[in-house]
């Protein structure tokens, strides 16, 4: 038993160290070399995003995985011609619901009931609470909320990519209207929020790679309230 406990603690320690080392390694790559990210790594990155927490578990967004070169080139133009969009292995587009609807909310509650094998009065009361809270609001107000949920999964994907040794470039600097048009998102009741090109850095072209990572010192970032 004792060796098993020691092995477990060692694995836990080295996992923590490895994750922090990976986060120190990562940065927003400014140039990518076109090398393909393996299907296995991509699947784990996407799964991390799928498993991310969201408000009331509604997951009010979708992720579009773009590998078509012509489409990536169009997305590059919509993103101020940032080269890593076209040179990435995959471009993830995080698209949030344009609003909350009864159908969308009910789908997630019904799915939960199906997976958990039943329901109860408290859960159904919560369903009705959300229906009454969200559905009457304006589409724009609801979109602000759904977009915030997409950011949570976006962060999970970035961390997962770093853990897999895959470069990822978080992007808000693009024209949502153009991206929506390229992918036909409005027809699907979605609006683009974030882009995440995935791939591998081009060390010869990336001016940012060798610069120090700069973050606030801990005492300027964290306040303990005891």
């Amino acid at each position: 038993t004792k060796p098993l406990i020691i092995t477990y603690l060692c694995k836990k320690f080295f996992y923590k160290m490895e994750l922090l080392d990976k986060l120190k390694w990562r940065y927003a790559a400014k140039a990518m070399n076109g090398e393909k990210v393996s299907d296995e790594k991509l699947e784990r990155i996407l799964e991390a995003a799928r498993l991310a927490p969201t408000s009331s578990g509604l997951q009010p967004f979708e992720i579009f995985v773009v590998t078509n070169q012509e489409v990536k080139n169009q997305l590059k133009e919509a993103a101020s011609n940032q080269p890593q969009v076209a040179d990435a292995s995959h471009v993830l587009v995080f698209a949030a619901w344009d609003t909350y609807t009864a159908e969308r909310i009910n789908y997630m509650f019904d799915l939960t009931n199906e997976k958990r094998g039943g329901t109860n009065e408290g859960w159904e009361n919560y369903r009705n609470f959300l229906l009454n809270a969200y559905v009457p609001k304006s589409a724009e107000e609801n979109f602000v909320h759904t977009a915030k949920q997409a950011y949570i999964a976006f962060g999970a994907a970035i961390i997962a990519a770093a853990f897999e040794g895959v470069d990822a470039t978080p992007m808000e600097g693009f024209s949502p209207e153009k991206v929506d048009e390229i992918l036909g998102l409005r027809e699907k009741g979605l609006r683009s929020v974030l882009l995440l090109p995935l791939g591998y850095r081009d060390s010869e072209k990336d001016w940012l790679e060798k610069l120090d990572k700069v973050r606030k010192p801990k005492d300027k970032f964290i306040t303990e309230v005891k």
Side-chain angles (χ1 to χ4, degrees):
T1 303
K2 191 173 181 179
L4 289 175
I5 294 174
I6 294 173
T7 301
Y8 168 75
L9 291 175
C10 287
K11 285 183 177 180
K12 190 172 183 181
F13 172 77
F14 284 115
Y15 168 77
K16 287 182 178 179
M17 291 301 294
E18 184 179 0
L19 178 59
L20 291 179
D21 287 342
K22 292 290 189 179
L23 292 177
K24 291 174 183 175
W25 165 84
R26 72 147 303 276
Y27 70 103
K30 301 303 180 186
M32 293 190 179
N33 62 16
E35 183 181 345
K36 185 179 185 298
V37 174
S38 71
D39 293 340
E40 294 78 14
K41 289 190 174 188
L42 175 66
E43 182 60 31
R44 288 192 289 267
I45 293 168
L46 292 171
E47 184 66 358
R50 191 182 73 89
L51 294 173
T54 56
S55 179
S56 301
L58 293 176
Q59 291 182 285
F61 55 88
E62 297 180 21
I63 301 174
F64 289 72
V65 182
V66 181
T67 56
N68 181 283
Q69 191 60 50
E70 183 179 346
V71 177
K72 286 193 292 182
N73 291 340
Q74 293 176 29
L75 292 176
K76 174 187 173 183
E77 292 182 14
S80 302
N81 286 309
Q82 296 180 75
Q84 59 271 58
V85 178
D87 297 335
S89 171
H90 302 76
V91 179
L92 308 188
V93 180
F94 288 71
W97 290 354
D98 55 3
T99 191
Y100 285 107
T101 65
E103 181 181 9
R104 283 169 159 170
I105 293 172
N106 283 328
Y107 170 80
M108 289 306 297
F109 272 81
D110 292 342
L111 178 63
T112 300
N113 291 341
E114 176 186 336
K115 293 293 185 181
R116 294 178 177 172
T119 186
N120 58 65
E121 183 179 357
W123 181 241
E124 291 306 316
N125 286 340
Y126 188 57
R127 179 205 298 256
N128 290 324
F129 169 77
L130 292 184
L131 289 169
N132 292 327
Y134 287 138
V135 176
K137 290 182 179 179
S138 70
E140 193 60 35
E141 188 175 3
N142 279 334
F143 173 68
V144 169
H145 189 264
T146 61
K148 288 179 179 178
Q149 308 314 304
Y151 273 86
I152 300 172
F154 187 68
I158 293 169
I159 294 171
F163 192 75
E164 296 290 340
V166 173
D167 284 299
T169 307
M171 286 187 179
E172 291 180 306
F174 63 93
S175 168
E177 293 79 12
K178 290 181 180 178
V179 171
D180 292 353
E181 182 180 354
I182 292 167
L183 297 178
L185 297 181
R186 294 300 179 105
E187 294 86 343
K188 299 177 177 69
L190 300 166
R191 293 170 60 180
S192 57
V193 178
L194 299 152
L195 302 184
L196 188 63
L198 299 174
Y200 297 99
R201 63 192 67 174
D202 187 330
S203 297
E204 294 184 1
K205 297 180 180 178
D206 197 335
W207 57 268
L208 187 56
E209 181 186 13
K210 292 180 174 59
L211 298 182
D212 290 340
K213 182 187 286 288
V214 179
R215 295 293 186 270
K216 291 180 181 179
K218 185 177 177 180
D219 63 340
K220 298 293 184 182
F221 182 69
I222 297 172
T223 300
E224 294 188 19
V225 181
K226 297 182 179 180

